[in-house]
């Protein structure tokens, strides 16, 4: 499937504004923990024309102009996960039922390939498709897949 769209940044402008080298800017923008805040804001304003979730603890990241809920996720060099973020990290564990509930509560995911910064392609993938991947064991046991696998899944959508 071709990307749904492309978010672009001017690397030279960012270097000047941030007073960092181009390599440092790339490191920052290719870190999903850091760039997600910016991606959510650009997507809600430029693509979805909606609103951000009321807090970081909400069960979704943004609401589109039709009232549908979306999660924004980054495809980084280490991969991507689809389960709720409270299930990811040291001392945390994946829980099947809350993950499935998450799929039932949102319209879909916006998957952004941050490794391509400063030109970040993104795909809008409905939660029903992610559920289809899960049911066919395409997401592994914890919903985390490698970058390569994520891009293969997206390519298979055609």
């Amino acid at each position: 499937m071709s990307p749904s769209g492309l978010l672009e940044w001017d690397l030279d402008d960012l270097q000047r504004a941030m007073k960092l080298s181009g390599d440092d800017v790339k490191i920052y923008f290719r870190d999903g923990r850091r760039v997600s805040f910016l991606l959510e804001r650009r997507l809600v304003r430029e693509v979805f024309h909606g609103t951000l979730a009321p807090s970081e603890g909400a069960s979704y990241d943004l609401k589109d102009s039709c009232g549908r809920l979306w999660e924004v996720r980054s495809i980084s060099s280490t991969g991507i996960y689809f389960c709720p973020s409270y299930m990811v990290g040291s001392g945390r564990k994946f829980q099947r039922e809350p993950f499935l509930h998450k799929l039932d509560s949102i319209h879909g995911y916006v998957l952004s390939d941050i490794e391509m910064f400063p030109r970040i392609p993104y795909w809008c993938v409905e939660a029903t498709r992610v559920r289809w991947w899960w049911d066919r064991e395409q997401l592994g046991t914890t919903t985390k897949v490698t970058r390569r696998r994520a891009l293969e899944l997206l390519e298979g959508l055609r």
Side-chain angles (χ1 to χ4, degrees):
M1 164 187 213
S2 295
S4 303
L6 185 70
L7 296 176
E8 297 184 72
W9 279 266
D10 186 308
L11 186 56
D12 292 332
D13 285 350
L14 287 172
Q15 282 179 249
R16 279 191 296 280
M18 297 172 75
K19 298 181 179 10
L20 294 172
S21 70
D23 287 342
D24 283 341
V25 172
K26 287 177 184 176
I27 288 169
Y28 183 89
F29 276 80
R30 290 177 180 166
D31 183 327
R33 298 164 299 176
R34 294 181 173 136
V35 76
S36 62
F37 180 86
L38 299 171
L39 288 171
E40 290 168 8
R41 279 147 183 81
R42 292 243 353 234
L43 288 163
V44 78
R45 189 184 79 225
E46 298 171 29
V47 178
F48 290 96
H49 309 289
T51 58
L52 290 170
S55 73
E56 286 294 317
S59 62
Y60 64 95
D61 292 322
L62 59 89
K63 185 184 295 189
D64 68 20
S65 60
C66 298
R68 298 175 300 198
L69 307 179
W70 295 85
E71 277 284 302
V72 177
R73 295 296 165 86
S74 298
I75 304 170
S76 71
S77 62
T78 60
I80 186 173
Y81 62 90
F82 292 89
C83 64
S85 56
Y86 68 82
M87 295 182 192
V88 177
S90 180
R92 301 175 185 183
K93 78 178 206 182
F94 173 76
Q95 299 169 340
R96 181 183 182 278
E97 290 309 314
F99 164 64
L100 296 177
H101 176 70
K102 165 74 131 187
L103 293 179
D104 291 338
S105 69
I106 62 171
H107 184 75
Y109 292 83
V110 183
L111 310 180
S112 305
D113 186 358
I114 61 174
E115 288 301 303
M116 300 302 291
F117 173 83
R119 296 173 46 95
I120 299 179
Y122 64 87
W123 294 261
C124 299
V125 179
E126 292 186 3
T128 54
R129 172 55 62 169
V130 175
R131 176 64 189 247
W132 189 87
W133 289 336
W134 171 258
D135 289 343
R136 283 150 189 80
E137 300 178 351
Q138 301 294 301
L139 301 181
T141 58
T142 64
T143 76
K144 180 171 168 95
V145 295
T146 65
R147 179 174 186 276
R148 180 177 172 186
R149 181 67 185 136
L151 295 174
E152 287 172 355
L153 289 169
L154 291 168
E155 182 64 27
L157 293 178
R158 296 195 191 262

